[in-house]
Amino acid sequence: MRISPLIVASLFAAVTFSLWALINRPTEVVPWPAEVSGFAFSPFRAGQDAIINVMPSVEQIREDVELLSDKAVAIRTYSSLRELAEVPAIAQDYGMEVTLGVWLGLDLEANNAEVEAAIALANSYSNITSVMVGNETVLRGEFDADELAIYLERVRSAVQQPVSTAEPWHVWLSHPELVEHVDYITVHMLPYWEGIHVDVAVDYIVDRMVQVQEAFPEMDILIGEVGWPSGGRTREAAVASTANEALFLRRFLHRAQQESYPYFLMEAFDQPWKAQSEGGVGAYWGVYDVKRRPKFSFAEPIVRLPNWHFLAAISIVTSIIMLGLFAMNSKTLRAKGYGLLALVASGTATALVWIIYDYSQQYLTITSLIVGFLLMVGMLGVITILLTEAHEWAEAHWFTVRRRKIEPTRLDPNNTPKVSIHVPAYNEPAEMMIETLDALARLDYPDFEVIVIDNNTKDEGVWRPVEEHCKKLGPKFRFFHVSPLKGFKAGALNFALTKADPDAQVVAVIDSDYQVEPNWLSDLVGAFENPKLAIVQSPQDYRDYNENAFKSMCFSEYRGFFEIGMITRNERNAIIQHGTMTMVRRTVLDEMGGWGEWCITEDADLGLRIFEAGYEAMYLSFSYGRGLMPDTFIDYKKQRFRWAYGAMQILRRHRAELFGRKPTKLTNGQRYHFLAGWLPWVADGFNLVFNIAAISWSVAMIVAPTQIDAPLMMFSVLPLSLFVFKLSKMVYLYRSRVKANLRQTLAAAIAGLALSHTVGLATLKGLFTDNQPFVRTPKCVKPSALRSALVAVREELLMLVSLSVVVLALTLTPREFGSPDMRVWSLVLAIQAIPYAAAVVVSFVSSFRVPANLLGKGIKRKVFVPRT
């Protein structure tokens, strides 16, 4: 039974809305009182900064005092200089009391100015009820208790009001001698900084107040600062959010009334300038935001995101659009396939909407806007890869029927078009090539020729035996040695075209190491009876997979593309043409102008040009020939470098056609598969840049742990999800479609990861350069041991060591409180190190010739068996 994508989308929309509702269910809390004891008062606005003395105007201060005048009994200031000296007079006009602040720091001249100004103000205004000399000066280490006592006694002797200094509760317990120099104790109760969960934060304050009261029973105690930030880093169990700020303050105000605590709420207005000295969280302690708007409701139930209905609607619409884009051309999917796409679309859309909303609520500077933009672009890339990976997973496994034929078309005996088989070679072992030619001689097809082109091999002893063997095999086999010949492999193939029999209707190409099955041509040439068909491709297969563990790993890794990726691409006539085991209609090849000598992956370029002209291709996943794999890890890397670099050359050359800016006969499905197929390689390139930047950022975090924070955890969720998703997809499809055992699946994963650095480097170079030469993959090479293994991965080893060192250093760097952001960032770095570790492992496996039987029996070849 086939379920409509619309039904699946509706089900997931309902689930998504329910999850938003569950997360944002209201919490009943006692309302805010009509009047609070007091507010910590810093009247700075956006663009103003106490550190560099960009001060608010007197009129702005008056507006702020007027706003608070009917909401609080008193305000507490932190300085008595400049425009802040006007606060007592303005507050007096509105009937508000003032606890006057004296800011003390390392500048002794400024300290003296503060003290003199405060004394003058205290002796001038009756609404100044007390004086606060210093704010957390002992905590910051700028003064010891004796030094601070000098300032305290100086002010006490000059004013009538009671005098105190403000420190966190534990500083008073550590420095009881301070009590002798104050008239009352002022404690700061900020449980967020101590990593306390919001649900127990008020009880924690009560316990600390009891502790201080028991230590100093004769002293009155004022809570000089009490609050919770609406934004910033999570510290242990303390989560900064608007909902938690509202929850904490409303609970505290109710308890403070019961306990008769005098207090100042920290603070009246958000102060973005504080982010410089306190980290990002310093900006978000206000009850009102920087524009003087209340940040939460004072009476209604508390909801995590008050406008969650709107955000849920956006995420649902976004997920439906995502699902629709993939589902409208995936009509053969079963319900589970649509379900997987809907799950990924709903999850990524919800995460994207939540992250964008959360980031938009911050006070953004030019720098944070740029960083945020780059991170958003990266997230969109990750989401795109997640969706394309999910789409391939769904189409590879949960399909009802294949839309295009993937079985051989038997040849009409009365119609056997001539086939010209081209075998390019450069410096290849003669014994290997002779075996290749002998296999071709055993073909059961009646009308074919073989043209061997050896280009630029300097050692005559290498190519001369091959020439002699061609003569022995008869007139069907012709050998050409050409030197010099430009254009690498494409140049050799174009030369062969000029020598091909004019009657040849099909050109077939194999690599010099491939031994074909006798029925290769007789099974596949019949497909060209379809006049629209221009390419027939069968998979690259290998016969030396049991030679050692390294080759078994490579073989497992290769199989995934040919058993999964190529089959799904074939559904939309969008396969990647390969330079071996391929056949091309001769007239189309001539129409295209031959093979592209400008590109080091001339095969993929030709295939794309043929699609642009409106022709079709057919892929058969049955093995008709087997070659040799790279003998060493460094050759394996060179091969993949060439493929990735060539792909980027093609992307640059064909970008107008691929992005629809130039009219061609490419379908949207073909454009999708080419771009989506290369996207993971492009991601590897940007991932390399990210890793270098991540190491630099982490070094800065180690050098300056109090100034440089870990990146926000929300930006790590999607990359971690992508890693887990791709790993899950690979395991599932390798077991179900490739029929690999668990060890082979793990081997394929390690081999693929080992190439990540190489692919990333190749894509970056390919996007910006054109001069990378064609490098052939050597055959029959004997690897050396330790030195070879280390040389092959010197770059990966450097990255592995760098990432490992920073993870270890971040773990060992002392920090006052742990942060989930830090832990997740360390996890991200550890995962980023996995591909580099995989490269080192594969290199050693290659160099030390580990036996192949460690991976179990080889993956069974897929051979076509005709129906009887």
Side-chain angles (χ1 to χ4, degrees), residues 807-840:
V807 169
L808 182 62
L810 288 174
T811 304
L812 298 178
T813 299
R815 294 175 185 271
E816 186 179 359
F817 287 96
S819 165
D821 293 327
M822 175 65 72
R823 289 190 284 269
V824 171
W825 178 244
S826 297
L827 178 61
V828 168
L829 294 177
I831 289 177
Q832 293 299 102
I834 291 176
Y836 302 108
V840 174

Side-chain angles (χ1 to χ4, degrees), residues 569 572-576 598 604-613 646-679 682 767:
R569 296 176 75 110
R572 293 181 181 79
N573 189 35
I575 67 168
I576 294 287
W598 64 274
D605 167 65
L606 175 64
L608 181 54
R609 286 188 285 133
I610 288 174
F611 288 139
E612 289 170 354
M648 296 305 101
Q649 285 184 306
I650 295 169
L651 178 60
R652 292 171 60 197
R653 177 68 68 95
H654 293 264
R655 59 184 179 275
E657 293 88 345
L658 288 169
F659 288 100
R661 297 200 304 268
K662 184 176 180 180
T664 67
K665 294 182 180 179
L666 281 177
T667 65
N668 288 333
Q670 289 171 327
R671 289 190 177 95
Y672 164 76
H673 276 292
F674 274 91
L675 293 173
W678 289 330
L679 187 60
V682 175
L767 287 171

Side-chain angles (χ1 to χ4, degrees), residues 181-255:
H181 306 284
V182 295
D183 299 308
Y184 63 94
I185 294 173
T186 304
V187 295
H188 286 176
M189 293 290 184
L190 303 170
Y192 163 82
W193 286 118
E194 299 180 59
I196 306 301
H197 194 282
V198 69
D199 286 340
V200 296
V202 173
D203 288 336
Y204 180 82
I205 289 174
V206 173
D207 290 343
R208 300 291 78 75
M209 285 290 288
V210 170
Q211 194 173 354
V212 176
Q213 286 168 342
E214 290 177 348
F216 309 106
E218 303 300 322
M219 300 293 292
D220 292 330
I221 302 174
L222 166 70
I223 301 178
E225 289 180 359
V226 59
W228 195 276
S230 62
R233 305 286 176 177
T234 298
R235 290 172 66 88
E236 295 293 353
V239 178
S241 71
T242 303
N244 280 354
E245 180 182 21
L247 191 66
F248 170 80
L249 288 177
R250 285 169 62 175
R251 285 175 175 172
F252 169 78
L253 290 172
H254 179 67
R255 189 65 175 272

Side-chain angles (χ1 to χ4, degrees), residues 76-80 99-106 111 114-115 118 130-140 142-144 147-153 155 163-168 171-172 178 181-182 184-188 222 224-225:
R76 173 194 168 188
T77 65
Y78 290 83
S79 173
S80 298
T99 293
L100 186 67
V102 178
W103 186 263
L104 298 179
L106 297 176
N111 292 345
E114 282 276 359
V115 169
S130 64
V131 180
M132 198 73 64
V133 180
N135 187 72
E136 298 185 348
T137 52
V138 175
L139 176 70
R140 293 195 303 272
E142 294 173 351
F143 290 88
D144 59 28
E147 291 170 331
L148 180 57
I150 296 173
Y151 286 99
L152 288 168
E153 294 299 341
V155 175
V163 174
S164 183
T165 187
E167 296 286 349
V171 172
W172 290 99
L178 273 177
H181 306 284
V182 295
Y184 63 94
I185 294 173
T186 304
V187 295
H188 286 176
L222 166 70
E225 289 180 359

Side-chain angles (χ1 to χ4, degrees), residues 19 45 67 110 139 177-178 229 343 351 422 465 507 546 590 631 653 669 695 706 727 739 835:
L19 288 174
R45 305 198 178 198
L67 174 64
L139 176 70
E177 65 273 20
L178 273 177
L343 175 64
H422 300 171
V507 172
N546 275 331
D590 290 338
D631 291 291
R653 177 68 68 95
I695 291 170
T706 58
L727 185 62
K739 306 301 181 186

